[in-house]
Amino acid sequence: MPVDRKKNSEQKKSDSGNLRNSLIVFLMWLLFLNLFIWPATNYKVEPYSKFIEQVETGQVAKVKIGSDRIYYELKSEPIDDRSPQDLITIPVASDTQLPAILRKHDVEFSAIPSSGGFFNVLNWIFIIFIFWVLGGWLLSRGSGGGSPAPFMFGKSKARIYSEGSTGVTFDDVAGVDEAKAELQEIVDFLERADKYIRLGAKIPKGVLLVGPPGTGKTLLAKAIAGEAGVPFFSISGSEFIELFVGIGASRVRDLFEQAKKQAPCIVFIDELDALGKSRAAPSQLTSNDEREQTLNQLLAEMDGFDPNTGVILLAATNRPEVLDPALLRPGRFDRQVVVDRPDKIGRQAILEVHARFVVLGLDVDLEKLAARTPGFAGADLANLVNEAALLAARNNRDSVTMQDFNEAIERILTGLEKKSRVLNEIEKKTVAYHEVGHALIGALMPGAGAVEKISIVPRGVGALGYTLQLPEEDRFLAIEDEIRGRIAALLGGRCAEELIFRKVSTGASDDIQKATDLAERFVTIYGMSNKLGPIAFEKTQHQFLEGYTNPRRPVSDKVSEEIDREVKAIVEGAHYIATTILAKNRQLLEETARILLEKEILEGEELAQQLDRVQSPAPMQQWLETGQLPPGIVLSKTTLNGKQKPKTTV
Ligand code: ADP
Ligand code: MG
Ligand code: ZN
């Protein structure tokens, strides 16, 4: 961590900031004096009409006409040392009769040069100065620690971490061994460039790190700089995009200029997608000239330098699919390194890295924790360790125990426990049956792992209760029947409500959303539907980001209708199966819900005992495997409304 360096530069920044502030105050004060105090001390301003009147009645002796004011002297009060007041009036610009009137009344008059006066010139100097200082202040505020000198619009804001000062090494990055191995080569090149050049090898010009958020891409880039001991320029893609067209481009130019001077070095562009979005992106209504210019400049710069000079361009993104194809062609970012979510061994290694600074209790088993956290990225794991430590501190413990870690996992998965939200009796009962419904179906379905805990203590923003089901192993592929089973488990809560109360609540909306999404993916992305076949109906645009929906490929109305029908059939089939299971296990459902209502949390041995008793109905296996309900079963139209139980005509 470059803590010291940062503090230092912040210190410097605030020093120069103070200086600038006092300068501004001083100048403002001067300006104020100049405008209001100094000139006002000796003059008295009279209305123009009064002045004319005084001229016409012959009281005025002498007049000096300036562009914006007239100085005059009365016969009765000649200006000498004893009279402190000059008289001034502001002339009416359109009055061209004045000289004639003055001549008529025999007044001595002369003109004074227009921009005359020392103070006028000073005013301008002050005003310019103040704009200069203010501009510098605004700019330096925007650039976050860049040079405070004003008028440096085009200068690159790349922060330079000099030799080794990122303080991060490969030891701080764990669980992404393939990526590390690839990048090791770059470190090697920076250290022994001549070896490669002698053999005629060309080092890749640009290396693109791609992967989901929080997997350590930025961290890896910093580690490379730390390992290679060369200057490291880091800038985020969004920092190139400015209000004014052309500034981003000049910033790119400047960045590369600086880099070439400091070679060998590494230039790291984080969040490349902000600047390298495809110029032909279909979602874009208007073209973005600024971004396009910046991108073009980047492409030009990348062509313009020889990697053997020792400048290596590194970039990171979690949306490689939106990047302009020109960026990815050979000779530019010709090497892509995937930084993916870690597997179990990787997670354990990452936990070890972050647990270095934490006092661990004797019972903490990082391997077990790694097993319980599939899908967590490096950032999630770092967060987990920190949350656990915070919990331990809150409970005044000497060390962080396994219990803290388990609580932290739940916190991250489901949000904070809210003991204060009070449910009324009916709500509580509904939630209890709902959760037990999830648990019973979940226990029976393949692939989702064991149900570990059911709780009706409200958590997070929306969840009134939850069922925690943690997989025992990492899964990289899901089989058809597991997805069907997952959908059924999601609907289990709603089915239990229907079965017991004959009425449904709004509590299942999130489950229904998820179940429908999953069914849609089943058909349109995984190509698992028998009717529609292995055809993708969506364009994958978010490879690494979850929770985005992809646009549909253009399909005919007929196909579109078929997709809808198939999605509906899958969800309804799952609903039917879940209802059938719960109906068969109704006694168990009621008994378990009663225990849950009493204890609020059900876990461990007691929960396992209940779930062991779930019985599987005969048609389930067939449905899981084929999606076909046994012949003779007619799904009622109102099944999903829950007003009626599914009818069987057997
Ligand atoms: P990304 O740039 O891929 O979105 P970051 O590199 O910013 O992710 O990671 C954020 C934080 O998460 C890091 O500062 C680090 O504490 C932690 N982290 C992420 N991945 C790893 C990893 N592979 N090993 C150790 N820590 C990691
Ligand atoms: Mg990042
Ligand atoms: Zn639910």
Side-chain angles (χ1 to χ4, degrees):
M1 282 273 131
V3 176
D4 291 343
R5 195 193 56 82
K6 212 167 147 193
K7 224 191 198 161
N8 217 337
S9 78
E10 242 152 51
Q11 182 82 35
K12 251 188 242 153
K13 214 169 86 189
S14 75
D15 278 357
S16 67
N18 281 341
L19 192 75
R20 208 168 26 246
N21 284 348
S22 40
L23 204 65
I24 289 177
V25 170
F26 176 68
L27 284 172
M28 290 285 195
W29 187 72
L30 270 187
L31 188 68
F32 178 75
L33 276 185
N34 177 25
L35 281 181
F36 301 105
I37 312 274
W38 289 341
T41 45
N42 287 316
Y43 300 113
K44 187 179 167 204
V45 182
E46 297 283 12
Y48 189 61
S49 58
K50 188 172 173 193
F51 162 71
I52 294 292
E53 198 190 303
Q54 283 170 328
V55 170
E56 282 176 342
T57 51
Q59 297 175 46
V60 177
K62 233 187 209 174
V63 172
K64 278 186 190 165
I65 303 172
S67 64
D68 59 348
R69 56 183 70 176
I70 295 174
Y71 300 86
Y72 67 102
E73 218 178 281
L74 295 180
K75 284 178 184 152
S76 55
E77 296 173 12
I79 296 174
D80 56 26
D81 291 347
R82 273 162 300 133
S83 80
Q85 281 197 334
D86 256 357
L87 292 171
I88 301 184
T89 187
I90 311 296
V92 175
S94 58
D95 186 0
T96 51
Q97 306 297 311
L98 186 61
I101 297 173
L102 292 175
R103 222 174 296 139
K104 192 173 143 202
H105 293 277
D106 227 4
V107 181
E108 182 189 334
F109 70 96
S110 56
I112 40 178
S114 62
S115 72
F118 173 62
F119 284 126
N120 245 340
V121 178
L122 263 193
N123 276 351
W124 279 108
I125 292 176
F126 284 146
I127 287 169
I128 289 171
F129 207 77
I130 278 175
F131 270 99
W132 181 64
V133 170
L134 265 179
W137 177 62
L138 284 177
L139 271 185
S140 73
R141 228 174 41 144
S143 71
S147 163
F151 301 135
M152 282 185 49
F153 281 106
K155 282 280 181 212
S156 144
K157 289 187 287 189
R159 293 170 290 269
I160 302 173
Y161 296 97
S162 51
E163 194 164 322
S165 71
T166 58
V168 181
T169 65
F170 274 152
D171 287 341
D172 297 312
V173 193
V176 282
D177 295 334
E178 293 94 347
K180 251 158 85 172
E182 292 242 17
L183 295 172
Q184 190 69 51
E185 192 182 297
I186 289 172
V187 173
D188 195 49
F189 170 75
L190 286 168
E191 278 168 355
R192 278 171 304 188
D194 38 334
K195 181 181 97 184
Y196 288 82
I197 296 170
R198 205 176 50 235
L199 290 173
K202 275 217 174 83
I203 267 295
K205 253 187 202 177
V207 179
L208 183 61
L209 303 173
V210 295
T215 46
K217 298 181 292 298
T218 308
L219 194 68
L220 263 174
K222 284 186 185 155
I224 293 178
E227 291 282 330
V230 297
F232 182 68
F233 295 83
S234 117
I235 188 163
S236 166
S238 58
E239 286 176 76
F240 282 112
I241 307 302
E242 288 283 336
L243 187 58
F244 304 108
V245 175
I247 289 178
S250 79
R251 213 163 254 165
V252 171
R253 210 174 306 128
D254 182 68
L255 173 65
F256 278 85
E257 239 163 57
Q258 282 187 44
K260 276 183 228 159
K261 269 186 224 146
Q262 301 237 12
C265 69
I266 294 170
V267 174
F268 174 53
I269 303 179
D270 209 353
E271 317 292 344
L272 181 68
D273 47 285
L275 126 86
K277 240 179 237 160
S278 174
R279 283 164 288 190
S283 60
Q284 236 173 276
L285 289 177
T286 53
S287 76
N288 183 336
D289 282 346
E290 161 66 351
R291 211 187 48 221
E292 213 163 284
Q293 273 198 20
T294 311
L295 175 57
N296 284 338
Q297 186 66 39
L298 178 66
L299 295 174
E301 292 289 348
M302 287 193 77
D303 287 341
F305 77 83
D306 177 0
N308 288 347
T309 55
V311 179
I312 286 183
L313 191 58
L314 207 61
T317 180
N318 43 38
R319 302 188 58 195
E321 53 302 308
V322 305
L323 290 182
D324 198 287
L327 271 173
L328 303 177
R329 77 153 172 73
R332 291 191 180 137
F333 284 105
D334 36 17
R335 187 169 293 191
Q336 292 195 22
V337 176
V338 177
V339 188
D340 214 344
R341 290 203 184 83
D343 56 9
K344 188 180 147 215
I345 296 169
R347 287 195 300 273
Q348 189 180 343
I350 295 173
L351 283 170
E352 270 158 19
V353 166
H354 289 280
R356 280 180 308 192
F357 309 108
V358 171
V359 186
L360 290 185
L362 290 176
D363 65 334
V364 174
D365 184 345
L366 293 182
E367 189 183 341
K368 234 186 224 160
L369 282 175
R372 291 174 57 108
T373 47
F376 275 42
D380 300 320
L381 293 167
N383 184 24
L384 169 64
V385 173
N386 189 46
E387 282 284 335
L390 289 176
L391 281 171
R394 186 183 298 172
N395 295 327
N396 292 322
R397 278 197 250 279
D398 303 331
S399 60
V400 188
T401 63
M402 199 65 176
Q403 194 195 327
D404 296 321
F405 275 104
N406 285 336
E407 170 78 19
I409 291 179
E410 268 178 59
R411 245 173 196 242
I412 290 169
L413 290 179
T414 57
L416 287 180
E417 195 163 300
K418 278 207 183 87
K419 287 234 163 75
S420 60
R421 187 184 287 169
V422 184
L423 299 179
N424 69 30
E425 277 312 302
I426 296 171
E427 282 171 343
K428 221 165 159 185
K429 212 171 153 197
T430 310
V431 174
Y433 276 98
H434 179 108
E435 296 307 331
V436 175
H438 279 312
L440 294 190
I441 312 272
L444 216 52
M445 293 299 165
V451 178
E452 294 213 348
K453 182 171 178 175
I454 323 176
S455 157
I456 52 170
V457 178
R459 256 180 192 276
V461 189
L464 296 176
Y466 62 94
T467 304
L468 190 65
Q469 199 169 8
L470 289 175
E472 290 117 12
E473 48 176 4
D474 285 9
R475 294 298 304 267
F476 300 102
L477 289 173
I479 317 288
E480 230 179 306
D481 57 354
E482 290 173 0
I483 299 179
R484 284 204 188 90
R486 185 86 206 104
I487 298 173
L490 280 166
L491 293 174
R494 153 65 71 106
C495 294
E497 289 182 42
E498 285 167 9
L499 200 62
I500 303 295
F501 304 103
R502 297 280 157 156
K503 265 189 276 186
V504 290
S505 72
T506 55
S509 61
D510 189 49
D511 297 334
I512 291 172
Q513 184 79 45
K514 280 189 189 139
T516 314
D517 280 353
L518 202 51
E520 188 173 347
R521 256 180 279 159
F522 188 93
V523 178
T524 61
I525 296 182
Y526 308 141
M528 285 174 173
S529 152
N530 287 334
K531 284 211 185 95
L532 288 151
I535 294 170
F537 293 102
E538 294 189 355
K539 288 188 173 139
T540 312
Q541 291 206 338
H542 300 277
Q543 209 174 327
F544 292 115
L545 297 181
E546 282 167 357
Y548 278 87
T549 46
N550 296 309
R552 282 263 170 99
R553 268 170 212 282
V555 289
S556 69
D557 287 352
K558 196 166 149 264
V559 172
S560 179
E561 222 176 280
E562 247 173 279
I563 293 174
D564 290 346
R565 210 175 301 132
E566 189 68 354
V567 169
K568 191 158 184 257
I570 291 170
V571 175
E572 282 184 347
H575 183 267
Y576 169 78
I577 285 297
T579 311
T580 313
I581 295 171
L582 291 180
K584 194 173 165 83
N585 294 281
R586 184 166 178 142
Q587 284 227 299
L588 182 65
L589 172 66
E590 293 191 6
E591 187 189 316
T592 315
R594 259 199 307 278
I595 303 176
L596 181 61
L597 269 170
E598 198 178 301
K599 305 203 161 175
E600 295 207 327
I601 289 175
L602 201 56
E603 60 188 331
E605 194 52 35
E606 201 175 5
L607 176 63
Q609 263 178 18
Q610 295 294 322
L611 295 180
D612 270 353
R613 289 162 46 204
V614 193
Q615 287 175 354
S616 171
M620 188 185 84
Q621 208 48 44
Q622 186 192 344
W623 173 78
L624 279 174
E625 273 159 22
T626 61
Q628 304 295 310
L629 293 169
I633 292 179
V634 179
L635 281 176
S636 132
K637 275 252 168 60
T638 49
T639 304
L640 279 177
N641 297 332
K643 290 194 182 105
Q644 241 174 301
K645 272 208 300 179
K647 286 192 201 109
T648 59
T649 52
V650 181

